[in-house]
Amino acid sequence: MTSADTVRLTVSQAVVRFLAQQYTERDGVEHRLVEGCFGIFGHGNVAGVGQALLQAEVEDPHRLPYYLARNEQGMVHASAAFARMRHRLSTLACTASIGPGSTNMLTGAALATINRLPVLLLPSDVFATRAASPVLQELEDPRGYDVTVNDAFRPLSRFFDRVWRPEQLPAALLGAMRVLADPAETGAATICLPQDVQAAAHDWPAELFDKRVWHVARPVPEQAALARAVDVIRSAERPIMVAGGGVIYSEATDALRSFAEATGIPVAETQAGKGSLPYDHPLSLGAVGSTGTTAANRMARDADVVIGIGTRYSDFTTASRTAFQHPGVRFVNVNVAAFDATKHAGVSLVADARESLTALAEALSGWSTADAYRERARALAAEWDETVERAYHLGHGPLPAQSEVIGVVNEVSGPRDVVVCAAGSMPGDLHKLWRSRDPKGYHVEYGYSCMGYEIAGGLGVRMASPDRDVFVMVGDGSYLMMAQELVTAVQEGIKIVVVLVQNHGFHSIGDLSETLGSQRFGTRYRYRDADSGRLDGDKLPVDLATNAESLGVRVLRATTVDDFRAKLQAAKASDGGPVVVHVETDPLVNAPGSESWWDVPVSEVADLDSTVQARKTYEAHKADQRLFL
Ligand SMILES: Cc1ncc(C[n+]2csc(CCOP(=O)(O)OP(=O)(O)O)c2C)c(N)n1
Ligand SMILES: [Mg+2]
């Protein structure tokens, strides 16, 4: 039955038509909320969501463009990266087939939720009617037929629903949009679509498909909370700010700079917050915590007030709660999410970063830290920058050190270009050593630090900002875990420059293992030696450059630092699809130390002397750990 006020469409057609009409609006500017849809089709979605996307593309290719991914995990990473680049105001949807196609998205869901990034997941699900149960890839939980593999998304999603009947769809869609567009709530929003329901027709109220604009608020701080925060800050002699991802998502970097300059409070940065201030600003201390600069970590150690802005205080930021050693240290936390704002028993401002910084600047007008304090921050930062300069130009041989590779990428990339990384030894080295020049120029996924994010994430970054060159830094371990979105980049003609750093194994975990007394066990890519029976034989003959080439990617092989620079310049100058620059580095050269720590427990009893010694060091550090109750 159709009437003037209803539209007869399948559930899938309704989803597509609805998504094409959703917008966010912040500061009076509108953005498409869901700009496109990644997918991999199987029997679970090919004739449902697939048919709807086809129909939309035929009618209007811009309605909800479809992108064919290679791995469902990869497409979620790309969508999360896209959303991060777009300040969480736009994202992409992901459609996956039933069973393994859908559960492949679980890791991506966790990554998005942990990093507070919006992604819309549309896993397919078993027949609502159960007419043909068990269908291919159905879990069949004998305890309850309404449990499917997709229930595994529940703890990983900030919104979860399953549309057993078409009538449930409008509420599910509106619930998902609310979460995607709310910076305090955001993360993965999951709507499971049973195979048969996807294809079922229904008479939808026409207004479901009207343009809908989701206002993204900038909550202002409550006056009383502001007064409490101002009291604490005024009492400080050695305050520092810790800028997290929230500063960048809120586009609060100018407000941060003005506040810092007016008050003389220096700024340290988390992984997600790096780029909040340019590296050479006189009040920029750079990275803080386990992978921090000595400048930030020395200032943090003595700080009597820590102003966290848009940070969730991960263990890397707090050096596992050892970074802040002043006996009476107090925290002031600005965050849109009350959950994060109350951490470390802080005085909390549950509010937007930009609004809060503006309000704090006004309330603290005329107040400032002492000149000597500012000067100490500047001097420590200058000292660290000399350390960076040395690390960039070590002259190490025969293979370059990783810090030299990072130096060249920093030099060759333009000020607005983006460096992307996620796991291995590079995120820590980049956090310390990367000279950031633009708030969007540093994109290291370190909430989940997920091997395999790098290339897929780089793809999403470039899709979100085609006017910036994207430099993906990926280790051989991460590359082997997930490089297949290179093929997506080839297909779409999307340019990303991938710096593939070959060091024959896990430099990061090898080094960690050694410091924890586990002797780099099981972290090298070596043959099993016939005599020792252990993985300490010759290097494996794996050729990742040729592997990338076989995917249709242009590959440049670099040897020395100068050669790498030349190849990277050629890659930057190239047009069209992805380029891989392959370089081998020495896995035994570490970046300069942070004077910091990370809590990774060491065996309390052991037969190995290396472990026994490491445990003693561990216990000494453990004594510095604080609870901040
Ligand atoms: C999916 C996933 N599995 C395991 C880990 C744990 N892990 C962190 S770094 C790392 C090794 C990374 O190796 P590679 O990419 O070669 O970088 P390198 O350490 O050599 O710099 C591992 C196994 C992880 N972060 N993500
Ligand atoms: Mg490696």
Side-chain angles (χ1 to χ4, degrees):
M1 188 191 77
T2 325
S3 81
D5 302 317
T6 61
V7 189
R8 190 162 176 79
L9 297 171
T10 67
V11 164
S12 303
Q13 291 158 2
V15 168
V16 170
R17 190 175 292 198
F18 174 89
L19 292 180
Q21 291 285 40
Q22 306 306 305
Y23 291 78
T24 52
E25 171 274 315
R26 187 168 75 180
D27 303 330
V29 183
E30 286 185 6
H31 312 263
R32 275 283 295 270
L33 174 51
V34 181
E35 271 200 15
C37 185
F38 268 113
I40 293 182
F41 295 125
H43 65 283
N45 57 345
V46 67
V49 173
Q51 190 279 340
L53 285 166
L54 164 68
Q55 194 169 303
E57 185 176 287
V58 169
E59 284 169 19
D60 172 8
H62 301 295
R63 188 174 297 162
L64 196 69
Y66 167 70
Y67 306 101
L68 166 55
R70 266 61 200 178
N71 178 301
E72 292 85 355
Q73 183 187 138
M75 69 193 188
V76 185
H77 292 340
S79 305
F82 182 96
R84 174 167 167 178
M85 223 34 219
R86 292 290 187 84
H87 301 303
R88 311 193 289 202
L89 298 167
S90 294
T91 185
L92 299 166
C94 297
T95 170
S97 190
I98 179 176
S102 288
T103 54
N104 263 357
M105 297 199 294
L106 289 169
T107 297
L111 180 144
T113 294
I114 287 167
N115 283 288
R116 323 281 203 251
L117 293 170
V119 292
L120 177 62
L121 306 183
L122 304 172
S124 300
D125 222 319
V126 298
F127 279 46
T129 61
R130 300 181 189 158
S133 284
V135 296
L136 179 66
Q137 300 163 335
E138 180 166 343
L139 176 65
E140 284 201 281
D141 186 335
R143 294 164 299 178
Y145 293 165
D146 61 343
V147 175
T148 82
V149 292
N150 286 343
D151 285 280
F153 282 98
R154 286 181 189 270
L156 309 178
S157 303
R158 296 304 305 265
F159 177 85
F160 177 94
D161 202 2
R162 183 181 282 120
V163 181
W164 289 121
R165 295 180 57 91
E167 291 87 336
Q168 297 168 331
L169 183 69
L173 287 172
L174 294 171
M177 296 305 113
R178 175 186 63 76
V179 166
L180 291 177
D182 182 344
E185 287 283 310
T186 203
T190 303
I191 303 177
C192 306
L193 298 170
Q195 288 178 251
D196 50 350
V197 177
Q198 283 184 37
H202 183 73
D203 296 306
W204 308 97
E207 63 180 323
L208 179 62
F209 308 112
D210 289 348
K211 178 176 172 180
R212 202 174 291 264
V213 182
W214 299 84
H215 173 66
V216 180
R218 289 191 177 276
V220 294
E222 199 194 355
Q223 280 308 317
L226 187 67
R228 284 193 291 272
V230 165
D231 274 353
V232 175
I233 298 171
R234 274 187 191 282
S235 74
E237 281 174 18
R238 285 171 295 194
I240 68 162
M241 284 191 268
V242 173
V247 172
I248 294 173
Y249 303 142
S250 155
E251 297 176 89
T253 52
D254 288 343
L256 178 82
R257 179 200 290 249
S258 308
F259 179 68
E261 288 171 358
T263 58
I265 304 178
V267 179
E269 295 169 333
T270 73
Q271 282 277 14
K274 190 167 159 86
S276 292
L277 274 190
Y279 82 99
D280 52 358
H281 187 280
L283 287 159
S284 170
L285 299 169
V288 70
S290 307
T291 52
T293 69
T294 49
N297 285 339
R298 286 180 201 167
M299 297 294 284
R301 196 168 304 150
D302 300 337
D304 52 0
V305 169
V306 178
I307 308 167
I309 306 159
T311 175
R312 50 187 205 98
Y313 287 114
S314 84
D315 64 346
F316 266 81
T317 297
T318 67
S320 303
R321 302 195 185 213
T322 62
F324 309 110
Q325 286 296 334
H326 187 288
V329 62
R330 282 182 297 170
F331 293 84
V332 173
N333 301 325
V334 174
N335 210 296
V336 274
F339 176 75
D340 289 315
T342 50
K343 286 176 178 174
H344 293 170
V347 170
S348 60
L349 292 186
V350 182
D352 172 71
R354 202 182 75 184
E355 293 296 331
S356 302
L357 284 162
T358 310
L360 283 170
E362 203 179 295
L364 284 161
S365 159
W367 179 89
S368 167
T369 58
D371 289 349
Y373 184 71
R374 288 177 189 230
E375 177 47 30
R376 176 167 149 79
R378 202 204 51 75
L380 286 175
E383 191 185 311
W384 177 259
D385 197 53
E386 282 166 27
T387 306
V388 173
E389 189 65 19
R390 275 195 300 277
Y392 277 8
H393 303 285
L394 275 187
H396 188 76
L399 292 175
Q402 187 162 284
S403 63
E404 296 175 278
V405 168
I406 290 173
V408 171
V409 179
N410 192 269
E411 178 196 321
V412 172
S413 58
R416 287 189 74 255
D417 293 348
V418 189
V419 67
V420 179
C421 195
S425 54
M426 282 188 283
D429 291 6
L430 286 164
H431 195 212
K432 291 175 192 179
L433 300 177
W434 187 259
R435 289 171 168 162
S436 41
R437 299 151 286 185
D438 181 278
K440 301 309 281 189
Y442 182 87
H443 184 118
V444 174
E445 185 283 295
Y446 218 63
Y448 212 38
S449 185
C450 184
M451 290 170 78
Y453 176 87
E454 298 86 350
I455 290 171
L459 179 75
V461 169
R462 176 73 181 195
M463 287 169 74
S465 44
D467 61 331
R468 297 175 191 249
D469 272 326
V470 176
F471 291 82
V472 173
M473 307 211 55
V474 62
D476 49 343
S478 279
Y479 180 92
L480 282 169
M481 216 167 272
M482 213 166 63
Q484 59 278 67
E485 299 316 322
L486 280 173
V487 180
T488 309
V490 170
Q491 179 165 47
E492 299 287 346
I494 292 175
K495 181 185 169 193
I496 50 174
V497 178
V498 177
V499 177
L500 171 48
V501 178
Q502 169 67 282
N503 57 18
H504 304 278
F506 305 159
H507 171 170
S508 51
I509 307 299
D511 186 59
L512 182 66
S513 167
E514 191 168 308
T515 57
L516 302 179
S518 290
Q519 307 174 13
R520 295 188 175 254
F521 175 66
T523 60
R524 282 176 293 208
Y525 290 173
R526 303 270 174 161
Y527 282 108
R528 189 171 295 284
D529 185 78
D531 295 332
S532 70
R534 306 183 65 192
L535 296 179
D536 55 7
D538 286 340
K539 279 181 189 161
L540 303 181
V542 177
D543 178 353
L544 296 180
T546 303
N547 176 280
E549 229 158 31
S550 77
L551 303 177
V553 176
R554 180 176 176 212
V555 176
L556 304 169
R557 295 168 173 83
T559 49
T560 62
V561 171
D562 287 340
D563 185 34
F564 176 64
R565 182 181 297 106
K567 300 276 162 61
L568 199 65
Q569 277 159 346
K572 178 164 166 63
S574 78
D575 273 338
V579 188
V580 166
V581 184
H582 180 274
V583 62
E584 192 166 337
T585 58
D586 184 340
L588 297 178
V589 193
N590 288 338
S594 285
E595 300 179 357
S596 190
W597 182 63
W598 183 36
D599 190 347
V600 179
V602 179
S603 298
E604 211 167 345
V605 292
D607 294 338
L608 303 171
D609 187 50
S610 58
T611 312
V612 173
Q613 293 310 320
R615 176 72 195 187
K616 285 185 190 150
T617 312
Y618 177 73
E619 282 169 8
H621 282 296
K622 200 71 185 158
D624 289 337
Q625 203 162 42
R626 305 186 59 185
L627 286 175
F628 303 127
L629 300 176

